[in-house]
Amino acid sequence: MKKIDKAVKKSRYIWWEWKKSGSPNERDHPLNIQRRDAKRNIRAEQRKAAAQRKVENVEKIMNSSADPKTFAKLINKQRKTNNSNVKAIEVGEEVFDTPETVCNGWAEHFEKLGEPLNCDQFDNNHLDQVQKDIMFIEKVVSDSSSPITKITEKELHTAFSRLKNNKAADIMKLTSEHFKLGRGVLDTYILELLNYILQQKKSHQSSKKDY
């Protein structure tokens, strides 16, 4: 910002000199040349500042991945700004610097968030406890003899109505709007699928290769 302020002050001073000299109209007049150069310098400094902000925002996002609340807050802030296009990101030792590879870089970054890491900072004790909790819950569910109540159409519609708009699509390119606007057409199929999952007490372990 200091460089931008300095460039603006210089431009104002040159404008004052130009005004004091009778506001010459000649394009090749030295003061007119200085005015154009001063304006170009302001735009150049603004572009540099914008680029620096983008780099800082990306670094903040990457460094906050361990804090879900801060990470989500920064992502939302990035999406709402006009300068939301990220030119490059670094994931591990690899740099992604084209529109296509930036998307791949984000995908790789999010995938790694859910994977155990072989590093000193990774909490293996917490991972072990989570895995034990999962095994316990699965055992309780599988051993339970109580009948599972099926999901009703009303419950499905209530769930759809609570979905938020303008959110990212899933791996199959489906968004909240598909389910909210597809009511009446998709209800039967989705109900059948969800109740089948409840009956079987398990869901399909999908991956990118499945799509």
Side-chain angles (χ1 to χ4, degrees):
M1 290 298 294
K2 290 183 178 180
K3 290 184 177 181
I4 295 178
D5 292 340
K6 185 177 180 179
V8 171
K9 289 179 180 179
K10 183 177 180 180
S11 179
R12 288 176 177 171
Y13 176 77
I14 294 173
W15 180 88
W16 179 78
E17 289 286 342
W18 171 79
K19 196 73 174 177
K20 190 172 66 172
S21 299
S23 305
N25 294 323
E26 296 84 358
R27 182 175 177 78
D28 58 350
H29 191 282
L31 287 175
N32 281 329
I33 295 175
Q34 291 180 41
R35 287 178 65 202
R36 290 195 296 272
D37 290 342
K39 290 179 180 178
R40 278 195 287 266
N41 188 41
I42 291 175
R43 290 194 291 270
E45 292 299 337
Q46 288 173 333
R47 287 193 292 270
K48 289 178 183 178
Q52 182 62 31
R53 285 196 297 271
K54 288 181 181 180
V55 172
E56 291 174 353
N57 287 338
V58 172
E59 289 178 349
K60 287 180 181 178
I61 291 172
M62 302 298 285
N63 293 333
S64 67
S65 59
D67 182 356
K69 290 185 178 179
T70 303
F71 187 80
K73 183 177 179 180
L74 291 171
I75 287 291
N76 288 332
K77 181 180 178 181
Q78 183 82 340
R79 293 177 63 189
K80 292 178 181 178
T81 59
N82 292 328
N83 297 321
S84 60
N85 293 328
V86 178
K87 299 299 182 183
I89 63 171
E90 182 177 347
V91 180
E93 301 295 328
E94 190 172 358
V95 176
F96 302 88
D97 55 5
T98 66
E100 294 78 14
T101 58
V102 164
C103 291
N104 294 334
W106 279 121
E108 182 177 332
H109 173 66
F110 280 109
E111 286 177 358
K112 287 184 177 180
L113 291 180
E115 296 178 356
L117 301 176
N118 294 320
C119 64
D120 297 335
Q121 291 78 18
F122 190 80
D123 192 344
N124 285 290
N125 291 329
H126 180 69
L127 173 63
D128 183 59
Q129 184 60 52
V130 169
Q131 291 175 335
K132 289 180 180 178
D133 290 343
I134 293 173
M135 292 175 62
F136 175 76
I137 293 172
E138 289 178 342
K139 186 176 187 305
V140 170
V141 172
S142 62
D143 292 346
S144 175
S145 58
S146 301
I148 298 176
T149 305
K150 287 188 175 183
I151 300 172
T152 65
E153 188 172 342
K154 182 179 179 180
E155 290 173 329
L156 185 68
H157 289 170
T158 301
F160 283 167
S161 66
R162 292 176 179 174
L163 294 175
K164 294 183 178 180
N165 295 331
N166 303 315
K167 296 299 181 181
D170 63 14
I171 193 172
M172 295 182 68
K173 309 301 182 184
L174 294 174
T175 64
S176 299
E177 288 82 352
H178 284 102
F179 298 101
K180 296 175 76 172
L181 299 176
R183 284 175 50 177
V185 178
L186 301 176
D187 293 355
T188 302
Y189 302 102
I190 295 177
L191 272 176
E192 184 176 347
L193 174 62
L194 293 177
N195 285 318
Y196 175 80
I197 291 174
L198 290 177
Q199 182 183 5
Q200 298 297 318
K201 300 179 181 179
K202 64 180 180 179
S203 60
H204 175 61
Q205 299 296 317
S206 62
S207 65
K208 284 185 176 180
K209 293 181 180 179
D210 295 326
Y211 307 101

